Amino acid sequence: MSLRTLHGLQRPLGSTGLEISPLGLGTVKFGRDQGVKYPNGFTIPDDRSAADLLSLARELGINLLDTAPAYGRSEERLGPLLRGQRQHWVIASKVGEEFEDGLSSFDFSPAHTRRSVERSLQRLETDWLDLVLVHSDGNDLAILQDSGCYETLAELKREGLIRAFGFSGKTVAGGLKALEAGDCAMVTFNLNEDAEIPVIQAAAAQGKGILIKKALASGHAVLGAGQDPVRASFARVFGEPGVSSAIVGTIDPLHLSHNVRTLAEVITARP
């Protein structure tokens, strides 16, 4: 059987004009191995392994990369690795969370938001970011209403430094609020957690984009004997028509290929 890919299965990210693969590659494991919630330990890949994984992702039809300042050295490693390829990728990064010396800290002020985006542009060696998400600490409504972060992202979009912005939150109220002024929301949705479905449905009604985090429950999705948790997870997630793409972080080429093949089969099997 020939390897199934995601070529030809791109979908719009809401009304942003961005066309993205239904699977995005999360790159936390490119730059950070502390304080990550995976069931097994891992070694951060060297440059050759990382470059090979990015090349495989492109071959498999993935064009969406997810990174963040909170992902350790992910951004600064991706910059050199993506030289000469910028037009082939939709790059999403974040603002709000910093990670240093094994600890996270948060700053949603306008000054830090602008500084963070400018630093991401420098690290990623690009003139624009396709998407910037606010990396919430859980106080979703306070961030959206009081910090000035979202307003600053709107300014950066008008200036052409970013093409779209949104919110990676932890509450339904935050997700719904974020869609009012933003282009998309990133929500948790998997076999175990579906509380944020109202956000997905609201985005579909408003023509806004939805990215899914933890679609495979950070590697913890488990079903009974003989059942493929990846297939079941993707069938559940993409059963919601408002979903644009699911971000899955892996540094294992076999896992990546299996995820892509499974998702392609799930999507193309739908009527």
Side-chain angles (χ1 to χ4, degrees):
M1 184 176 120
S2 63
L3 183 67
R4 298 293 291 271
T5 74
L6 300 175
H7 291 289
L9 297 177
Q10 291 184 1
R11 46 185 62 196
L13 180 65
S15 55
T16 63
L18 298 169
E19 293 284 330
I20 59 174
S21 50
L23 190 70
L25 180 62
T27 63
V28 62
K29 291 183 178 180
F30 280 38
R32 171 177 164 182
D33 59 3
Q34 298 173 288
V36 287
K37 299 172 183 175
Y38 293 100
N40 303 307
F42 62 92
T43 300
I44 293 175
D46 60 22
D47 284 350
R48 171 46 50 200
S49 298
D52 287 347
L53 192 77
L54 290 167
S55 178
L56 175 63
R58 269 186 66 189
E59 289 175 24
L60 293 171
I62 292 173
N63 75 339
L64 175 61
L65 291 178
D66 176 74
T67 185
Y71 293 173
R73 295 184 57 244
S74 174
E75 286 185 323
E76 54 198 274
R77 293 193 70 202
L78 283 171
L81 288 169
L82 297 177
R83 283 175 189 159
Q85 304 177 41
R86 182 63 183 92
Q87 70 276 21
H88 298 298
W89 297 103
V90 174
I91 299 178
S93 192
K94 303 183 185 74
V95 296
E97 182 179 355
E98 299 288 322
F99 183 80
E100 198 169 352
D101 298 326
L103 296 172
S104 284
S105 60
F106 294 88
D107 187 340
F108 302 102
S109 67
H112 184 268
T113 299
R114 179 173 288 275
R115 193 161 57 243
S116 180
V117 168
E118 291 172 348
R119 182 185 60 190
S120 292
L121 291 169
Q122 188 174 21
R123 286 174 172 174
L124 289 161
E125 301 184 8
T126 181
D127 294 328
W128 79 94
L129 294 172
D130 296 292
L131 175 65
V132 175
L133 299 166
V134 180
H135 223 160
S136 175
D137 62 358
N139 297 303
D140 294 355
L141 290 178
I143 296 165
L144 288 163
Q145 294 171 338
D146 305 328
S147 71
C149 180
Y150 233 40
E151 291 81 358
T152 303
L153 291 176
E155 289 174 9
L156 291 163
K157 180 180 176 180
R158 287 192 292 271
E159 293 167 18
L161 295 180
I162 65 178
R163 292 188 171 171
F165 68 95
F167 196 79
S168 177
K170 301 188 179 182
T171 65
V172 171
L176 294 174
K177 182 68 177 175
L179 291 174
E180 292 178 11
D183 299 298
C184 78
M186 178 182 272
V187 302
T188 298
F189 183 30
N190 55 51
L191 292 174
N192 307 322
E193 299 178 76
D194 61 5
E196 293 178 85
I197 283 181
V199 182
I200 300 173
Q201 295 173 338
Q206 298 171 36
K208 302 291 180 79
I210 285 287
L211 300 179
I212 302 298
K213 55 186 172 181
K214 303 177 185 172
L216 303 179
S218 299
H220 294 279
V222 177
L223 290 173
Q227 291 183 285
D228 180 356
V230 174
R231 182 179 300 275
S233 297
F234 286 149
R236 177 82 172 102
V237 166
F238 286 90
E240 286 292 332
V243 171
S244 308
S245 182
I247 306 296
V248 177
T250 183
I251 49 175
D252 184 328
L254 291 177
H255 283 170
L256 184 63
S257 298
H258 174 68
N259 290 345
V260 165
R261 182 172 63 250
T262 303
L263 179 55
E265 290 170 355
V266 166
I267 290 177
T268 55
R270 294 193 173 280

